[in-house]
Amino acid sequence: MKRVFSFFLFSFLMSLVALAQDPQGVKNIDLPDMYRQIDEAISQSPHYIADYEEKLRQAKQALETADDEQRLMQLMEISRMYESFCGDSAQVYTERALELARQGGYNEIEGECMARLAYLCTFLGSQTESLTLLGRMSPHALSSEALVTYYRAYMMVYSNLSSNTQLQQMRQEFGELYACYMDSLLATAPEGSEMYCLHREPQLVGEGRLEEALKMNTQRLNMTTDGSHENAIVCYSRYTIYREMGDMDMAKYWLCKSALDDVRNAVLDQMSLIALAELLDAEGDTERASRYISFTWECNRKYSPRMRSWQIAPLLTAIEDSYEAKILHKSRILTIWGGVVSL
C-alpha cells in the first residue's frame, strides 16, 4: 500500500515539475521586467514603424525594374508584408497581382491571388465579398497551396458568421460548416507544416490533449526565428495552452513575449496586447491595461478603419471606466486622509 501511495505521490510531484518548467527552458519568469520591455517598445513604436515603412518603400521600388513574372511575385510579397501592417493595402496589392496574373495567363497564380483575396476580405470583416469570390472559384483548379487558403477563407467566414448570429439554428449550421472546412484544410495542408499545426493545435487544446498541443507548439517555435512576427504568432498559441493548463505565470510570460515581438516588428494588427490588456484589467492593474488598450486602439485604427473596432471599443470603454473609477477612489481616500491629518 505504501509503495502504491509513494508511486502516485511521485507521479503527482513530477507533474507539478513539468508544469513549472517550459520545454523551451524558460525559468525564473520576471513579469515586471517583461512589462518594462513592452513599455519601452511602445515608446519606440514610431521608430519601428518608420523602419518598416522604409522596407515597404524598397519593396515597391523593386517593382520598377521587374519583368511581368518578377513583378507578380513582388506584388504578392508586398501584400504579405502589408498583412500585419495595413489590411486595406494588403487587399490592394493582392488585387493588383490578380489583375496581372489574369493578363499574363498565369492561371495557377491567379487562383492563389483569388483565394488570398477572399481570405483577406473575411479577415477584414467583409464576409459577403469573401463568399462571392469563393463562389467564383473551382477548388479542383487550385494548387495545393491555394486550396489551403481557399479552405481557410471559408473557415473564417463561417467562424465569424457563427459568432455574430443571434439565431441558435444558424449558429449550429455555421459551426458545422466551419468544422467541415477545417477537416478539408487539415487533409490538404502538409502534416507538420505551419499551416497544419496552426489549426491542429487549437483542436488538441479543445480536446484536452494539452501535452500534445504543447509538443506541437514547441516544434513550431523551433521552426521560427526568435523575435520575428511569425514567432510572436506561435507564442500567442503557447499562451493559450498554458492558460488551459492553469499555469498563468507561464501563460502571461508567453503572451507578453508575443505582444513585445509584435510591437518591435511594427505589427499594427495587435491581438496579443489586447489580450494582455484584458488580463491585466481583470487582475486590477487598470493603469497599465489602460495604456495598452489605448495603444492597440491607435494601432488597429491605422491598420484598418473597419477592422476590430467593434471588438476593441467595448473593451476600451470598460478599461477606461475601470481606470477612472480607480483614480476617483484614490482621490476620495486622499481627501479623507487629508481631513484626518488636519484634525
Side-chain angles (χ1 to χ4, degrees), residues 131-151:
L131 284 172
T132 300
L133 287 168
L134 291 167
R136 293 174 179 173
M137 300 171 66
S138 171
H140 302 293
L142 297 175
S143 66
S144 57
E145 182 178 350
L147 192 58
V148 169
T149 307
Y150 171 87
Y151 290 138

Side-chain angles (χ1 to χ4, degrees), residues 321-332:
D321 288 347
S322 179
Y323 183 43
E324 289 176 9
K326 187 174 183 178
I327 293 175
L328 181 60
H329 179 66
K330 286 183 178 180
S331 177
R332 286 174 177 169

Side-chain angles (χ1 to χ4, degrees), residues 71-325:
R71 184 178 177 83
L72 185 54
M73 295 299 101
Q74 190 67 9
L75 286 169
M76 289 295 284
E77 176 60 24
I78 294 171
S79 172
R80 282 189 285 269
M81 291 176 69
Y82 266 122
E83 188 169 336
S84 62
F85 189 72
C86 180
D88 292 339
S89 294
Q91 277 188 318
V92 168
Y93 278 89
T94 303
E95 285 186 284
R96 288 179 61 181
L98 175 60
E99 184 61 28
L100 185 59
R102 284 173 174 166
Q103 292 174 357
Y106 299 100
N107 296 330
E108 186 171 301
I109 299 177
E110 179 184 348
E112 293 175 10
C113 291
M114 281 276 285
R116 176 167 172 76
L117 190 58
Y119 166 75
L120 287 171
C121 282
T122 191
F123 183 71
L124 294 171
S126 303
Q127 317 304 331
T128 303
E129 289 90 336
S130 182
L131 284 172
T132 300
L133 287 168
L134 291 167
R136 293 174 179 173
M137 300 171 66
S138 171
H140 302 293
L142 297 175
S143 66
S144 57
E145 182 178 350
L147 192 58
V148 169
T149 307
Y150 171 87
Y151 290 138
R152 192 183 185 196
Y154 261 125
M155 278 174 53
M156 187 168 288
V157 167
Y158 288 116
S159 174
N160 290 341
L161 292 175
S162 177
S163 299
N164 295 326
T165 184
Q166 300 299 315
L167 303 177
Q168 182 61 36
Q169 181 62 36
M170 296 301 294
R171 183 177 295 110
Q172 181 178 342
E173 290 180 13
F174 292 148
E176 290 172 355
L177 286 167
Y178 167 84
C180 178
Y181 284 110
M182 169 71 86
D183 290 342
S184 296
L185 184 148
L186 293 175
T188 305
E191 189 171 349
S193 67
E194 170 59 17
M195 192 57 63
Y196 177 90
C197 295
L198 176 66
H199 294 89
R200 178 58 181 147
E201 195 176 293
Q203 278 192 336
L204 293 172
V205 173
E207 294 166 3
R209 297 159 65 180
L210 301 179
E211 291 298 334
E212 289 182 58
L214 188 61
K215 183 178 179 181
M216 181 175 286
N217 185 272
T218 300
Q219 293 171 348
R220 291 173 64 200
L221 274 179
N222 292 334
M223 291 190 296
T224 60
T225 302
D226 186 39
S228 66
H229 176 47
E230 292 74 20
N231 187 261
I233 293 172
V234 184
C235 289
Y236 182 85
S237 298
R238 202 170 189 83
Y239 146 71
T240 64
I241 297 171
Y242 277 114
R243 184 187 61 193
E244 291 302 310
M245 285 181 166
D247 188 342
M248 289 309 298
D249 281 345
M250 196 67 77
K252 281 187 281 188
Y253 168 82
W254 288 105
L255 183 59
C256 285
K257 188 175 186 319
S258 177
L260 177 62
D261 289 346
D262 273 349
V263 176
R264 287 174 173 171
N265 283 284
V267 172
L268 298 185
D269 179 25
Q270 287 281 348
M271 281 303 296
S272 296
L273 205 55
I274 293 173
L276 182 57
E278 190 170 15
L279 190 61
L280 290 169
D281 183 55
E283 293 178 346
D285 192 350
T286 54
E287 182 179 357
R288 190 180 302 278
S290 178
R291 292 203 310 273
Y292 289 175
I293 198 65
S294 296
F295 176 74
T296 59
W297 173 263
E298 288 302 315
C299 286
N300 283 282
R301 191 172 59 81
K302 294 174 185 175
Y303 177 75
S304 174
R306 300 171 294 148
M307 181 62 175
R308 301 208 194 285
S309 59
W310 60 274
Q311 294 176 313
I312 301 175
L315 181 59
L316 176 66
T317 302
I319 290 177
E320 290 298 329
D321 288 347
S322 179
Y323 183 43
E324 289 176 9

Side-chain angles (χ1 to χ4, degrees), residues 7-21 211:
F7 172 77
F8 282 110
L9 179 61
F10 176 78
S11 299
F12 174 72
L13 291 173
M14 289 303 294
S15 67
L16 290 179
V17 170
L19 283 175
Q21 295 180 347
E211 291 298 334

